[in-house]
Amino acid sequence: MIVVKKKAVKKETIQKIEDITSSSLFDWNLYEEVRETNMKLNKKYKTKNTYQLVHTIFKANQQKTSPYYPSFLKLFQEIINNNVKRDVILLRMKVNLLFKSNKKVINPFHIDDNLDKNYFSIIYYINDSDGDTVIYNNKKLVKTKPEAGKILMFDGSLYHASSKPVKNKIRKVVNINFKYA
């Protein structure tokens, strides 16, 4: 299952999340993109390991949450209420930022959680950018272009990858994992 929906949240929500993640008070951490990767896919599509800035909002079974958790919880609830319309359990939510590259690069194909594949992923696009999200589904690549306010929802067991922007300076997304209650 892959679902793409433009204007998945209100304009006010789009602006609020953009403002928060653009603030000098919003802390970022540098991460190398290393997860449960698919070596065959990564070799076939010549993916490149990359670094990205990350701000973890929430992770199940961890006491600490981001000070911005209330605002992002509202974003999550708005997405779920408008698009999923079922009771769900939030597993993880984080914000990722990739910087412009001088050439098109697909980052490594991965799944977000290799222990529990019974979940769904949502990519919420914070800004317009040219760094597509690429999902490997039924032996084909499905590409989604980032547009502020758009969501991409898919089965968490599907291998997917981000790609760096070439025309835009940055690509910002909220990466959400959840399961049905």
Side-chain angles (χ1 to χ4, degrees):
M1 171 209 67
I2 299 174
V3 175
V4 177
K5 185 169 181 194
K6 292 182 179 186
K7 300 178 183 171
V9 297
K10 296 181 282 191
K11 285 182 183 180
E12 299 81 31
T13 304
I14 294 169
Q15 191 59 55
K16 182 170 186 167
I17 297 301
E18 171 61 32
D19 290 348
I20 290 170
T21 59
S22 296
S23 167
S24 61
L25 300 175
F26 193 75
D27 294 331
W28 294 97
N29 296 291
L30 182 65
Y31 278 78
E32 184 174 9
E33 182 108 27
V34 179
R35 283 196 231 20
E36 174 69 22
T37 62
N38 184 310
M39 298 310 283
K40 264 187 174 177
L41 279 178
N42 291 327
K43 188 174 181 180
K44 180 177 179 178
Y45 294 104
K46 298 179 177 141
T47 67
K48 302 281 186 207
N49 248 7
T50 190
Y51 288 89
Q52 64 181 352
L53 296 180
V54 175
H55 180 103
T56 302
I57 303 294
F58 173 85
K59 193 167 186 181
N61 302 322
Q62 283 190 353
Q63 294 287 326
K64 189 178 173 192
T65 62
S66 165
Y68 300 97
Y69 174 74
S71 296
F72 282 87
L73 181 61
K74 286 179 185 174
L75 168 71
F76 174 67
Q77 290 168 334
E78 188 174 338
I79 291 170
I80 295 301
N81 291 339
N82 293 345
N83 303 282
V84 178
K85 300 175 184 169
R86 284 180 65 174
D87 289 337
V88 299
I89 300 167
L90 178 61
L91 302 173
R92 185 187 73 165
M93 186 167 19
K94 65 187 186 104
V95 183
N96 298 336
L97 186 149
L98 287 170
F99 291 100
K100 181 178 182 174
S101 175
N102 57 359
K103 62 180 179 176
K104 277 193 170 188
V105 176
I106 296 177
N107 299 320
F109 282 94
H110 63 276
I111 53 176
D112 292 339
D113 186 344
N114 62 347
L115 300 175
D116 179 7
K117 293 186 176 83
N118 187 25
Y119 67 95
F120 295 91
S121 290
I122 293 175
I123 306 293
Y124 168 78
Y125 297 100
I126 297 172
N127 67 314
D128 295 337
S129 183
D130 60 314
D132 292 353
T133 301
V134 183
I135 299 175
Y136 187 74
N137 187 35
N138 296 323
K139 300 182 181 180
K140 290 186 219 169
L141 295 183
V142 177
K143 296 181 180 183
T144 302
K145 181 178 173 28
E147 296 173 54
K150 180 193 280 183
I151 62 166
L152 166 63
M153 187 169 81
F154 55 95
D155 185 311
S157 66
L158 293 176
Y159 280 91
H160 59 283
S162 59
S163 56
K164 291 187 174 196
V166 177
K167 297 174 187 167
N168 299 87
K169 289 181 182 179
I170 60 172
R171 172 192 190 268
K172 288 193 291 190
V173 303
V174 180
N175 178 284
I176 302 167
N177 300 133
F178 73 94
K179 63 181 174 181
Y180 293 131

